[in-house]
Amino acid sequence: MLQDLEFGRLENEYRPVPPRDSDSVLCFRGPDVLLHRQADDTLILPTVAQLAADGLRYAFRLHGTGYYLLSGEEIEAPAPFTWERARSLRQTVSKEVCFAILTGWHLHVWYKNNRLCGGCGAETVHDDRERMLRCPACGSVIFPRINPVVIAAVTDGDRLLLSRYAGRGYTSYALLAGYTEIGETLEQTVAREVMEEVGLRVKNLRYYKSQPWGVDGNILMGFFCDLDGDDTISIDETELSHAAWYPRNALPAQDDGFSLTREMIRVFGEGKEPK
Ligand SMILES: [Zn+2]
């Protein structure tokens, strides 16, 4: 998966230190991130020395390199720099750069949306010691926001339920997924989403793995579960364009090495899902 960091360890504690010239810059403007096109056409993040910009904000360290956020609104960056859509770089940059961009994007959006206190409207300030914003006027504190999402692999013996989303850019086969609502457990989210989207009851939930999905500010939590009773699928057409049972030995989706969903489909195909 994307976060399996064979390229090193993510240090996401808030330990702001001044940037070094060789550190990387996550410069966002609207939906785009600034990249540097190298002679061999590969895209990497610009370094602090290349941009020589003020206003860098510490984000995290990855494999010994510091990553700093920068607002791209005022940045002049002629070729070989290029603005690219931050959320559609999976095939174009290395896994390391992709992970850094999606994680940086999550932080960038959180900082951008919390410049002002939601309670009283005053400007917030950063805490000295941890990743937290504080309102000097009313005392509110704001921690990073991470939205919980469950992914449900509904199984029935040697069959797996696969679906396709309705009206979204992503057209590949998917597992069912949905946000946890206030007041419910993750297990209740799984049962509710499966019932809402395909009209099925489930039992025997088994937690599998999780995945940070910074481009949407989410943490994904994958569960396998068994069909309980009637297998007749009834699609919620506002959410899905397709849903059907597929046999274990003929699943129409390959593991892409990035997503939890694809890994769960592969694991079921190999008969290695938690029982
Ligand atoms: Zn306030």
Side-chain angles (χ1 to χ4, degrees), residues 117 120 135 138:
C117 170
C120 76
C135 173
C138 77

Side-chain angles (χ1 to χ4, degrees), residues 48 59 73-74 87 100 117 212 215 227 250 272:
V48 168
E73 302 303 329
E74 311 282 322
R87 64 180 309 138
C117 170
V215 71
L227 174 71
K272 293 179 180 165

Side-chain angles (χ1 to χ4, degrees), residues 142-184:
I142 308 161
F143 290 96
R145 173 176 166 165
I146 306 168
N147 309 308
V149 172
V150 301
I151 293 179
V154 184
T155 69
D156 179 32
D158 280 330
R159 300 190 299 169
L160 176 65
L161 190 134
L162 294 177
S163 60
R164 284 184 158 136
Y165 297 121
R168 289 202 219 170
Y170 187 79
T171 54
S172 300
Y173 287 96
L175 299 172
L176 303 178
Y179 286 100
T180 298
E181 299 284 355
I182 290 173
E184 72 183 0

Side-chain angles (χ1 to χ4, degrees), residues 116-124 134-140:
L116 304 179
C117 170
C120 76
E123 260 184 58
T124 56
R134 180 186 294 289
C135 173
C138 77
S140 284

Side-chain angles (χ1 to χ4, degrees), residues 154-162 173 233 242-254 264-271 273:
V154 184
T155 69
D156 179 32
D158 280 330
R159 300 190 299 169
L160 176 65
L161 190 134
L162 294 177
Y173 287 96
I233 294 167
H242 169 83
W245 295 104
Y246 289 84
R248 195 191 291 274
N249 60 6
L251 296 170
Q254 305 297 318
M264 289 174 72
I265 295 172
R266 172 176 59 78
V267 163
F268 181 77
E270 294 169 348
E273 77 279 12

